[in-house]
Amino acid sequence: MSMVIVVGLVLSALVPFVVQLFPAGTDLPVLAAAVLPFLLALALIIKPGIVGPDRAADGPATERLGAALLLYLSPVLLLNVVYPLVSPSMAAVDIDGVPLTLVVLASSITVPWMAQAACLPIYRVLGDLMAERNLEEITRRFCQHWPTILVQSLPLIAVFAVPMWLATGWSATVMIDYAVLCVLHLIFVQSLVLANVANRRGLWAIAWSGYAAALFIAPTMWWLPPLVGTVTQVLAMRSGLRYLGFAQRLSMRVFGMDLVRGLLMGAVLWADKFALFLASKGDFQVVAVFAAMLPAVVAYNFYFVHLAPGVDRALHGMHRDIAEAPIGSLKGSSRRLTRVVDRSVLLTGAIAALLTLSVSLVMAGVDPLHTLLAVAAAAASWGFMVLTLLSYELDFIGEKTTPQIIGAVHLAICVLAFTAGGLFGPLTGAAGSYLLLGAVDFVLIGVAWVLYKHHWSQPEYTLFWRHATTW
C-alpha cells in the first residue's frame, strides 16, 4: 500500500496545477470525489494480493508487472495524448468533401473489432508454442503462415466497408481511402501478434510509439502511422523473414470458423462503437464515448497482463497433477484453479467498476451536458468487458459454441438499439441505446456467470475427463 500512498500524495500535490487545465464552470467538488474510487482501483492494480492470498505479485514482481501494464497500455496512453493535438490539422483536410478526421475515426472504430477476427487464426497457428515462448520458433512459424492468413483476411474489409458505405453514402474515393486505411491497420495489428505471443512488451510499445510519432509529425499523411508501426515489427522479425511464403496455410473451413468466432466474440466489446458511428454517420460525442470505454480497456488489459499468467500457472499445475499425481490430489488442484479464476474475474470487474465510477464523476464535473451519455456508455462498457471475460473463460475451458451465441445475441440487440434510437423509452439518442444494450447485457452476464460456474466448478472433468469419455 506504500506505493498507493505515494501516488496519492503526488496526485494531491498536482491538484492546484491540474485545476488550471479545466474550463470555467467545472464542478470541482464532483471532480474531487472521483479521486477516491480512482485510488482504490489503483490500489487493486498495484497490489492485487490485498484481496486474496496470491503473494506472487509482491515486491520486485509487482514493479515488473506494473511496467508491463504501462507498456501494454501504450496505445491508449500515447494516442489519447496525440489525437487531440493533431485533430485540428486533420480536420482542415477533406477527402472528396468528407473531413479526414471522420475517415480516420471510422477506421479507428472498425479495426479493433476486425482485429479480433483477423488475428485469431494466427493465435491458432502459434498456440502450441505460446507456453514455451521460444522466440526463434515462434518467429519462423509466424512468417510461414502470415502471408496466407493476411490474404485470407482481406475479405473482412468488405464485411465492414459495405455497411459503412450504405450508412454514410460516401463517394468511391472516400470509401477507397477508408478501405486502404483498414488494410494497412489489418497488416499492422497482425504484425503485433508476434510481440504479444512472445511477451515482448517493449517491442509492442515501440510499435505504438512509432505509430504515435508518425501521427504527430505528419497527421495528414493518414497512411503513414500503421506503415511505420508495421516496419518496427518486421525489423524485429528479420531472422524469420526468409520463411515468408504461401506454402503453409489453414484450410478455409478452419479459417472461416475462426473468423466467425472472432467476429462474434469481438462484437461484445467493439460492435457498439461501429453501430453508433453508422447510426449517427460519425456525428456523436467522441470524447464522452471514448472516455467512457477507458475503464473497461484498462481493466481488460490488466487482466491479461497481471492475472492471466496466474490462471495459466494454476492450469498447468492441474495438468501436471492429472498426469503424475494420485487421483485424490486432483480435488485440491481443481479447487486452487477455480479459486484463481474466480478471483481474477471478480478482481477485474471490481477494478473496472471503480474506474467507471471515477470516470463518470470526472465527466459530470467537466462536461455536465453529456454526463448521461458518458455514464450510460461507461456502465454499458463495464458490462461489455465482464461479458467478454466470461465468454473467454467459457471458450478457454472448451465451451466454444456458448460464447458465440452470447456474442450473436449481443450483436443483434446492439444493431436494434442503435438503429431504433430511443423508441424503447423516454431516453433518446446514444444514451438511450447504451442503456438498453447495457440492460440486456446484464441479463447475459447472469446467464454467462451461471454457465461459467457450472463448467469451472469441476475443471478437471470439463478439461479432461469429459473429453476422455468420448474416446
Side-chain angles (χ1 to χ4, degrees):
M1 289 296 291
S2 58
M3 180 61 73
V4 179
I5 294 173
V6 170
V7 172
L9 291 174
V10 171
L11 290 175
S12 300
L14 291 175
V15 165
F17 303 98
V18 173
V19 166
Q20 304 300 318
L21 300 176
F22 296 109
T26 296
D27 194 336
L28 295 181
V30 173
L31 208 60
V35 174
L36 179 58
F38 173 77
L39 288 179
L40 289 174
L42 188 64
L44 295 179
I45 290 174
I46 294 176
K47 198 87 166 177
I50 63 178
V51 297
D54 185 5
R55 300 297 179 190
D58 287 349
T62 298
E63 297 176 6
R64 290 195 298 270
L65 288 170
L69 180 60
L70 286 176
L71 291 174
Y72 205 60
L73 287 172
S74 56
V76 178
L77 301 174
L78 290 169
L79 298 182
N80 274 282
V81 170
V82 173
Y83 264 122
L85 298 176
V86 302
S87 289
S89 299
M90 295 173 66
V93 176
D94 280 358
I95 302 176
D96 205 9
V98 178
L100 176 59
T101 49
L102 203 58
V103 180
V104 172
L105 176 62
S107 172
S108 299
I109 55 93
T110 300
V111 171
W113 187 9
M114 181 174 63
Q116 293 282 313
C119 294
L120 202 56
I122 302 179
Y123 284 108
R124 174 188 288 275
V125 167
L126 302 178
D128 61 320
L129 302 176
M130 292 175 66
E132 297 181 3
R133 301 195 187 281
N134 184 329
L135 182 58
E136 183 177 349
E137 179 63 20
I138 290 173
T139 303
R140 181 186 66 81
R141 190 179 296 181
F142 176 87
C143 291
Q144 286 177 329
H145 286 84
W146 186 27
T148 303
I149 290 177
L150 175 60
V151 171
Q152 290 176 308
S153 302
L154 290 179
L156 274 174
I157 305 298
V159 172
F160 293 92
V162 170
M164 182 66 68
W165 172 64
L166 292 174
T168 61
W170 286 344
S171 68
T173 301
V174 179
M175 287 306 304
I176 289 173
D177 286 350
Y178 165 78
V180 170
L181 192 53
C182 287
V183 170
L184 292 175
H185 279 94
L186 177 62
I187 297 171
F188 175 48
V189 296
Q190 286 188 339
S191 74
L192 287 171
V193 171
L194 185 60
N196 198 29
V197 169
N199 203 28
R200 301 181 68 183
R201 305 300 182 202
L203 181 58
W204 171 277
I206 288 172
W208 285 106
S209 297
Y211 185 104
L215 182 64
F216 180 74
I217 294 170
T220 60
M221 298 174 65
W222 49 265
W223 46 268
L224 189 59
L227 185 61
V228 171
T230 302
V231 168
T232 64
Q233 303 307 286
V234 172
L235 289 175
M237 65 178 79
R238 56 187 177 276
S239 62
L241 293 179
R242 65 180 182 273
Y243 298 108
L244 284 173
F246 293 90
Q248 301 289 336
R249 70 181 187 91
L250 291 172
S251 70
M252 287 305 299
R253 177 179 172 274
V254 172
F255 186 85
M257 290 173 59
D258 278 348
L259 288 190
V260 172
R261 179 167 155 241
L263 284 173
L264 291 177
M265 293 182 66
V268 177
L269 204 56
W270 300 111
D272 63 292
K273 270 68 72 175
F274 188 79
L276 176 59
F277 188 97
L278 297 188
S280 65
K281 296 180 174 57
D283 185 17
F284 63 94
Q285 294 298 324
V286 177
V287 173
V289 172
F290 277 73
M293 65 178 284
L294 279 177
V297 171
V298 171
Y300 185 73
N301 285 285
F302 169 77
Y303 171 84
F304 283 103
V305 171
H306 210 149
L307 300 176
V311 175
D312 290 340
R313 286 193 297 272
L315 181 62
H316 290 321
M318 199 188 74
H319 280 164
R320 185 175 59 251
D321 287 347
I322 288 175
E324 302 173 1
I327 294 210
S329 67
L330 286 181
K331 288 293 184 183
S333 298
S334 175
R335 283 194 296 268
R336 281 193 298 273
L337 176 58
T338 301
R339 187 166 58 247
V340 169
V341 176
D342 281 351
R343 177 176 170 269
S344 298
V345 172
L346 293 173
L347 180 58
T348 305
I351 290 171
L354 289 168
L355 291 176
T356 296
L357 176 58
S358 182
V359 166
S360 298
L361 289 170
V362 168
M363 291 301 296
V366 175
D367 191 5
L369 290 177
H370 301 113
T371 298
L372 178 60
L373 172 59
V375 172
S381 295
W382 179 89
F384 303 159
M385 188 276 299
V386 173
L387 189 57
T388 297
L389 209 54
L390 291 173
S391 295
Y392 280 157
E393 297 299 354
L394 288 169
D395 184 82
F396 185 53
I397 206 168
E399 290 298 311
K400 303 296 184 183
T401 303
T402 302
Q404 294 181 60
I405 294 174
I406 290 173
V409 173
H410 171 92
L411 180 57
I413 299 300
C414 181
V415 172
L416 179 64
F418 284 100
T419 54
L423 296 180
F424 299 93
L427 296 173
T428 60
S433 299
Y434 272 113
L435 287 174
L436 172 63
L437 185 56
V440 174
D441 271 6
F442 278 117
V443 176
L444 290 177
I445 287 172
V447 173
W449 177 260
V450 171
L451 294 172
Y452 157 80
K453 292 299 292 181
H454 171 71
H455 292 295
W456 279 95
S457 61
Q458 292 182 294
E460 75 281 9
Y461 171 76
T462 308
L463 287 169
F464 180 76
W465 299 117
R466 185 177 62 180
H467 299 289
T469 58
T470 64
W471 294 348

